[in-house]
Each structure stands twice: as C-alpha cells, then as structure tokens.
Amino acid sequence: MPRPRRKAPLLPGADAPLGLLAVRLVARARAAGPAGLIHMAAGEARAERIARVAAALAPDVLALALPPWDCLPFDRASPSRDAMGRRVAALRALAEAGDRPRLLVAAPDALLQRVPPRRLIAETAFDLAVGAPLDLAALEVFLARTGYVLDERVDEPGEAAIRGHVVDLFPAGWARPVRVEHEDGIVAGLRRYDPVSQRTEAPLDRLALLPASELIGPAPTDDVPALERSPGLEHWLPDLVAGLETAFDLLPGAGLAVEPRAETRRRAGLAQVREAHAARRALPGETGRPVPAPDRLYLDEAAWTAALAGRTVETLPEGGEEAGVPRFVLERRARAALARFVAAEREAGRRVVLAAATARDAARLARAAGDEAEPAADWSAVAAAPAGALLALALDLEAGFRDEAAGATLVSAADLLGSRAESGDEEGAPAPLPLADADLHPGDAVIDADHGMAVLQGLESVEAGEAGTGDAVRLGFAKDATLLVPATALDRIWRYGADPDAVTLDRLDSEAWPKRRAALDAELARTAAHLVALAREREAARVEPIRPPAAAYERFAARFPFAETRDQARAIAAVLDDLASGRPMDRLVCGDVGYGKTEVALRAAAAVALAGRQVAIVAPTTVLVRQHLKTVERRFAGLDVAVGHLSRLASPAEVRAAKAGLADGSVRVAVGTHALAAEGVSFADLGLVIVDEEQRFGAAVKARLRELARGAHVLTLTATPIPRTLQAALVGLQDLSLITTPPARRQPIRTFLAPFDPVS
C-alpha cells in the first residue's frame, strides 16, 4: 500500500519572518519533489536572501536565486557579464538537478526575461581539470562564442587573458578569477586569485567554465570555423532571440508562490517594457537596427498566462502571522531576557535553535542561554531532535521565528546582538591598504642614499675576481656619469615618484647632495620630535566616555535597509569603541564611493546624539549638505532628536532657529557646510564632529574645523585622502578604518560613449 503523501504546511503571510518563509518554501519544494517550486519575491535582494537561507536550512534541496538583468529594457547598455553569468549558472544548475527537489526564487524582472534554450544551456560549457588536456584554440573559440572579453589584466567577471603558459579567467558570476597553468598541452594547476593583488589563493581540482552571455554564438562549423574575438553577435541576433524560452520551461510542473507586492511589480515591469520598446522604435534612424518585438525578449501578458497554465498558483496572504521572537537587544538586560525566554520555551517542550553565522556569535548566544547547544546540520535535524532540546545552527538570519510544524523556536544572533551580529559570508582578515607599486624598473628616477638623485639604468652581472660573479645596479647621474651599486645594497635605493625627465640629477662626488641630505636629516628629526609630541598629547587626552542607550541605538540601526559589509561592521565597531574609550576619537574612514562610509558616520552620530550630546556633520558643498540632511532627518525621525541645518540654502529663519538650538542644546544634530565653524555659532555640548569629503576643504577651513572640534571626537570620511591626511593616519596620529569591501552585488560603474538617447 503506497504511503500517503505528507501535506506541506501553509505558506506564511508576506510580512512573516524571512526564516519562517524559507522553512515553508523548503517544505513545499520537498513535497513537490523533482517538479519543484517557483517563488516570486518582491525584489532581487529579498530573493537572494530567501534562496541563501533556504539552501542553508535544507542542503538536500537545490535552492537557487535567478537574478534579473541589470539594465533597462531595450537600453543601449547591455546587461553586465556578471548578471548574465549568474543567470546562466542558475539555469544550468536547474537543468542538471536530476531527481533532487528544487526551489527557484526570483524577482518578477527575472521571470519576465526569456532565457537561452535548455539544450544550449546543457551543452555550452568548457571543462578544465588538473592533469587533463587543454586545447587553447578551442578555449579561444569558446570565449568568443560565450561573451568573454580578452584583456591584458583580468579583474572583472567575463574577462580572460591568454599569456604563454598561463590563462587567467574570471568566470561570469564568480567572486574570484581563476589562474590556469598549463604545460605541453596539459593543465598543470587551477587556482583562484585575488584580482587586486593578483596573488593566487585556493587551488581547484576542476572548473566548468560557463557562458558570460545569454546570447550564445553558434558552434564552429566548416562554413564558420571560428568567431572573431571582438564582442558583438549582431549578425546572429535574430536567430538567437527567436530560440529563447522561459524560466518556467525548465520547471514544467512547478507550482508558483507569489508575494502580493511582486505581482504589482510584474505589471509595472511589463508597462515599462512596452513603453521602452515604443520609444526605441520611434527614434529616427532606429529602423535599420535589430529591435526585437517585446514578446521575443520578455513574457507579455499572454505568454505569462500561458506559462502559468496548469500550474498551482498561490498568493501569500497580506500581513503575517505572529511568528517572531522578542528583540532581546532592546531590553535593559538582554542576556537575562534571552535566558528566561529559552528556559520557558524548553520547559514548554519546544526545541530551541541558536542561529549564528560565526563561532564567536554562537558562543555569545550559548553563554546567554546558559547551556550547551548541540550542533544541528539542518532544519530536518531540528525537527527530529527531542522535545526541549537546545540546538545550534550555522545560519545568518536578521531575526528569529517560531515554526509550529517543527515545534521549534529559532533565536538569531541579531536578536541578542542587534547590529553587532557578524555575517559569516564577510569573515576574513581586513583588506590591506592599497599602496602604490614599490618595485624598481629600468628608467625610474631613484634616490641613492649616498649619492643623490639618479636614473636606474639596469641590472648587470659583474666579475669580482676570486669572489666570483655578482649582480649590480647601474645608476645614471648628471654629466652622463654612471655608478655600479651592488645588488646587496638595494636597501639604500628608493624609487622617486616624479618622471625622470622632470627631475635634476645629482653630480657624482659633488658637495651638493651631502649638504641637502644633512638639511633633510635635521628637518626629519624636527618633524619626528613634533610627531612624537602630538602622539603623546593625544594619548594623554581624556574625555567623558559616550555609550548610547542600547534600545534606541538598535532602533536606529534597524532602519538601515541593507546588511553591513565586513569592513563596514569593523569600522562601526571601531567607532563605537573609540567613543566609549574615554580618549578623544580622531579616526579616518577611507573607502570608495558607494562603499558605505555614510552609514559608519550615521551610527557614530546616533551613538552621540542618543547619549544626549551634540553632533556637527560638515560637508564641502550645499548639494552634499542637502543629501545628508534628508538622510539624517529620515533616520532620526521619531527618536526625539532635533536636527538643524546651516548653509547658504537655509532661510534666515532656519539659520536663527539652528543657532539658537545649538546654543541651548535643543538641537542635537547639525548638518551644514563650514558655516558650522563660523563666528556666532556655538554648541552647548559638542561631542562629535564629522567631516565628509575632507580632501575638498582648504587648509584654513580645516584649521577652523579643528578648533571647533577641540575637546570633542572627530570622524573624517574620504574616498581619496590627501597625502598629509593619509600619512597622519599611517604614523598613528589618526586611527584608520578602511572600507574596501563593496556592498553585495554592487552594480559596477560602466562607461559607454554613445549619442544622446532620449529613451534612456
């Protein structure tokens, strides 16, 4: 007699904890078996989080996120190779899943876009394995067919470089490139490497290289032996587009779960496709271009209806059931509150799961819970554990939840630690400071410690009699004089940054260089003494420690709609430690545009303002002041923190109100230009000065800002520090935080030279 099929639990509401939604989707996918399940999430970031959590909770289920294109419909800019590569990788994994249960999570944008045919996805890959033969000509053809670009240096997805016995490949959709070493037609090694330092990292046994484009060119034939290296498959575009399918074709029997906001976004996306196509077709001169009809690239309403025919479609209910757990970090005694909660849940016979992404956070949760937690491999192991068990699960979740079907309650590290919870994906050593290449090359201007300015002419072998042959560096000086310096004395030669043609070379055996060197030595000694005095003065200074109220600070931090990167989290933790140390903070936060420096500053401002002190946020332009003002007002809304504004854009009434509020202490956060340091502006209790884009302020303004910050903490933000500021940080006069990790899936800046396009 066949076993009755177990009915999967109902899906939760759209606003239920994300972890509970992932648990229910996994249960549905298991019940569906190889037929699978498709979940249409409200957005791309949410889809990726759901897929990541589902994969961690159920390793036996193939949980994948299908990303959308990162360009507008019918835009001149094509999708990036990274986006298309990740799509192809997800589609291929689905095609190769066999009998494994599968869950596909995607935003509406991704499901609306057609995909390459299943046959083409299954057939198009280039396999590399250590010890296996390597056909370089076939590899070049594959790279050209599948959208890779040959470049001298490989540092972005979809790039490749073929150099002698080394091939560098950056598989589209990967986080790291791969270096292929080959000898006599055999693959000798496969290693990941850092695209910045170019240093090799983890070895690989094999690599299945997948396409970097969804428009895959035809395979070589007798008529077409190979494609050109230059990108562009315009000649094949009509045939390629005509063969596109839908993501639903890869899961023909899968049901569809839809979030309410996702359906609204799908309809808006279809309208955008129609409008963009009509605008593109209406442009003069566009009639000769291959502009496919919308239904060739996207699923219109008729195609969407046809794709859903015969499928079970379920829309998640609005709102959400009460399935969360308390936010212990908001309690006055968070650890005690967690211990009481865990004890009560276990006494009621529920399994309690402590979920953390790192071993350190897992230890913190266990200590707070007051008992040893038994490791659990996945959610199935949780459901099979004895009633009242205390379990530990390696999982990165923003909030805990209750699962009635499993009789389990999950408490996440974020429930106890709030914004201090660590992300396992971001673990690792801090990134090094990217400094200039210090290697010496022929033709460089150099300084010899004993003889002065010279030009490095090359390396030579010199016969040294009975001592044998040795290496020496030939230096060129003024009047065509040359000097051979033993290679063992290279520590006395430094590269000079200027162009050799722009410097005056010293004369050998002249008195000019020894005099200049003596003057420089004296100046260096005076500077060193001054730096030591400044460092001792800073070390001896003391201020009142600042510690924000935990509940209010966590409410502020929770308004940040993204997960902090590794470097962001470290910078925030360092700033909070500085504020609580009792020493005046003077920290430089250095990071590229869009890497999250502003959030570090906002957390510092919140810590000081919520502790009852005042904050001054200074920016160099009124445009930046306006942006910061809107952000600060939004983040502090409802937290009883008054915000003021001082710049030439402020009305006279606003200026008077801000000055009065700063003087009496009622305004706790002020955003403005250097007007905040002008005469007539006084602070009742200034605790922190934040200087944004420090490199754009002049020396006089910086002096006024330093005077304003006397006795207060200072936080400086910059993407391109001037040499003096960077040197002050490197010698220890300022503390330094580097933000070198971009936000997850940050869209790269792509530059195109194109005529004016009214559609875009």
Side-chain angles (χ1 to χ4, degrees):
M1 181 177 178
R3 294 177 59 185
R5 192 168 189 175
R6 183 179 177 183
K7 186 177 180 181
L10 295 176
L11 293 178
D15 295 332
L18 186 141
L20 178 62
L21 174 60
V23 165
R24 298 284 175 84
L25 290 174
V26 162
R28 285 293 184 91
R30 279 205 186 99
L37 174 68
I38 301 173
H39 179 69
M40 189 164 72
E44 179 188 1
R46 179 173 170 84
E48 290 195 359
R49 288 200 303 272
I50 292 173
R52 185 181 69 247
V53 173
L57 289 171
D60 61 306
V61 174
L62 179 65
L64 296 169
L66 179 67
W69 288 346
D70 52 358
C71 67
L72 296 173
F74 297 99
D75 197 355
R76 287 185 184 274
S78 63
S80 69
R81 294 176 180 83
D82 178 61
M84 290 193 290
R86 288 189 290 132
R87 283 172 59 83
V88 170
L91 296 171
R92 185 179 177 90
L94 282 176
E96 296 178 340
D99 293 334
R100 188 178 176 186
R102 60 202 80 178
L103 169 65
L104 180 65
V105 189
D109 319 51
L111 292 177
L112 285 176
Q113 290 151 0
R114 294 186 180 272
V115 301
R118 284 163 288 180
R119 174 191 56 78
L120 200 58
I121 294 173
E123 294 176 355
T124 309
F126 196 94
D127 293 321
L128 295 165
V130 176
L134 173 62
D135 186 337
L136 279 181
L139 175 60
E140 287 195 66
V141 171
F142 175 85
L143 296 174
R145 286 182 60 212
T146 57
Y148 284 84
V149 172
L150 294 180
D151 203 347
E152 290 300 318
R153 179 185 173 99
V154 173
D155 49 18
E156 291 185 4
E159 292 182 343
I162 300 177
R163 299 185 296 268
H165 293 282
V166 174
V167 179
D168 286 348
L169 303 169
F170 205 137
W174 281 39
R176 284 281 194 267
V178 175
R179 181 156 291 154
V180 184
E181 299 172 356
H182 61 94
E183 192 73 39
D184 298 328
I186 302 295
V187 177
L190 295 170
R191 292 179 178 85
R192 294 177 186 263
Y193 70 91
D194 187 330
V196 176
S197 67
Q198 297 288 303
R199 293 177 179 174
T200 57
E201 296 176 345
L204 301 172
D205 293 329
R206 58 181 59 252
L207 165 66
L209 188 64
L210 301 182
S213 172
E214 292 176 64
L215 294 181
I216 301 170
T221 64
D222 293 338
D223 297 329
V224 186
L227 298 177
E228 295 181 357
R229 291 187 180 185
S230 59
L233 296 169
E234 289 82 1
H235 178 72
W236 310 101
L237 186 62
D239 294 336
L240 294 172
V241 170
L244 297 182
E245 299 179 350
T246 78
F248 292 100
D249 293 333
L250 275 78
L251 294 169
L256 177 66
V258 181
E259 296 181 10
R261 291 185 291 274
E263 176 59 21
T264 303
R265 180 166 174 171
R266 183 188 71 84
R267 295 180 184 276
L270 279 180
Q272 185 182 38
V273 168
R274 291 192 296 267
E275 293 170 3
H277 182 263
R280 176 67 65 200
R281 294 282 295 177
L283 285 179
E286 291 288 334
T287 54
R289 288 181 171 273
V291 182
D295 62 348
R296 290 291 186 92
L297 293 175
Y298 301 89
L299 274 66
D300 59 15
E301 200 62 56
W304 182 264
T305 301
L308 299 191
R311 299 177 188 270
T312 302
V313 180
E314 181 178 354
T315 301
L316 274 63
E318 295 280 2
E321 58 194 74
E322 191 63 34
V325 301
R327 195 73 171 168
F328 305 105
V329 69
L330 302 180
E331 301 287 340
R332 184 178 297 275
R333 299 181 60 199
R335 293 177 179 273
L338 171 64
R340 290 194 300 270
F341 177 81
V342 169
E345 293 289 295
R346 297 179 69 185
E347 188 175 344
R350 299 183 64 84
R351 305 163 181 87
V352 176
V353 182
L354 305 179
T358 66
R360 184 164 68 169
D361 279 359
R364 291 172 177 173
L365 279 175
R367 285 196 299 269
D371 199 354
E372 191 75 22
E374 185 72 22
D378 53 27
W379 201 248
S380 296
V382 170
L390 181 64
L391 307 166
L393 193 61
L395 182 64
D396 183 13
L397 262 184
E398 299 169 2
F401 61 89
R402 283 187 170 95
D403 180 14
E404 298 301 335
T409 299
L410 183 143
V411 178
S412 75
D415 293 327
L416 175 68
L417 304 173
S419 59
R420 293 178 293 125
E422 298 173 343
S423 170
D425 293 337
E426 302 292 348
E427 280 192 301
L433 181 65
L435 298 175
D437 184 5
D439 291 344
L440 296 173
H441 302 90
D444 285 348
V446 297
I447 295 177
D448 181 275
D450 300 314
H451 302 91
M453 187 71 69
V455 173
L456 177 63
Q457 295 181 342
L459 183 69
E460 300 180 7
S461 295
V462 178
E463 292 291 340
E466 295 181 358
T469 303
D471 292 330
V473 175
R474 181 177 292 277
L475 302 180
F477 291 85
K479 302 293 185 180
D480 295 328
T482 61
L483 177 70
L484 289 176
V485 178
T488 54
L490 276 177
D491 59 331
R492 299 184 63 77
I493 298 175
W494 298 276
R495 183 176 180 270
Y496 191 70
D499 191 296
D501 295 333
V503 300
T504 301
L505 302 182
D506 282 300
R507 296 178 60 182
L508 277 177
D509 302 324
S510 167
E511 293 298 322
W513 170 247
K515 291 180 180 179
R516 281 164 50 208
R517 178 177 171 181
L520 287 171
D521 287 343
E523 182 64 28
L524 287 172
R526 288 193 295 270
T527 302
H530 179 62
L531 292 177
V532 169
L534 289 176
R536 287 175 176 170
E537 179 183 348
R538 182 185 175 214
E539 187 66 29
R542 290 292 180 267
V543 293
E544 183 181 351
I546 296 178
R547 297 182 180 88
Y553 177 80
E554 289 301 332
R555 281 196 294 271
F556 180 92
R559 294 178 178 179
F560 184 52
F562 310 102
E564 297 91 353
T565 66
R566 174 195 64 210
D567 294 339
Q568 262 187 315
R570 285 184 174 136
I572 292 170
V575 167
L576 294 180
D577 289 343
D578 288 348
L579 295 174
S581 68
R583 293 175 51 245
M585 173 176 69
D586 193 355
R587 180 170 291 274
L588 173 67
V589 177
C590 184
D592 201 356
V593 176
Y595 276 36
K597 299 187 299 293
T598 300
E599 184 60 24
V600 178
L602 287 172
R603 300 291 180 91
V608 174
L610 294 173
R613 309 269 317 261
Q614 290 177 302
V615 180
I617 302 176
V618 188
T621 66
T622 54
V623 173
L624 195 53
V625 166
R626 181 182 295 173
Q627 292 175 351
H628 285 327
L629 180 64
K630 290 182 178 179
T631 302
V632 169
E633 288 177 338
R634 183 180 71 251
R635 293 292 294 274
F636 279 102
L639 292 176
D640 195 26
V641 172
V643 178
H645 169 213
L646 278 180
S647 76
R648 62 182 177 83
L649 296 181
S651 66
E654 288 177 317
V655 171
R656 287 193 298 271
K659 287 183 177 180
L662 292 174
D664 64 21
S666 59
V667 171
R668 271 192 261 165
V669 180
V671 184
T673 59
H674 58 277
L676 286 170
E679 292 185 10
V681 179
S682 62
F683 290 79
D685 188 13
L686 182 60
L688 172 66
V689 175
I690 298 172
V691 182
D692 194 12
E693 295 201 19
E694 176 265 355
Q695 77 279 3
R696 299 179 63 178
F697 287 103
V701 174
K702 289 181 183 178
R704 286 158 54 191
L705 293 176
R706 284 287 170 181
E707 186 62 29
L708 171 68
R710 186 176 295 275
H713 298 280
V714 178
L715 182 63
T716 305
L717 313 178
T718 183
T720 53
I722 62 175
R724 180 175 179 177
T725 300
L726 182 58
Q727 193 64 28
L730 292 177
V731 300
L733 295 182
Q734 285 181 284
D735 292 313
L736 180 64
S737 289
L738 297 175
I739 301 183
T740 60
T741 307
R745 296 302 176 191
R746 177 180 185 260
Q747 300 301 334
I749 297 173
R750 293 187 287 158
T751 305
F752 298 89
L753 181 62
F756 173 72
D757 187 354
V759 176
S760 300

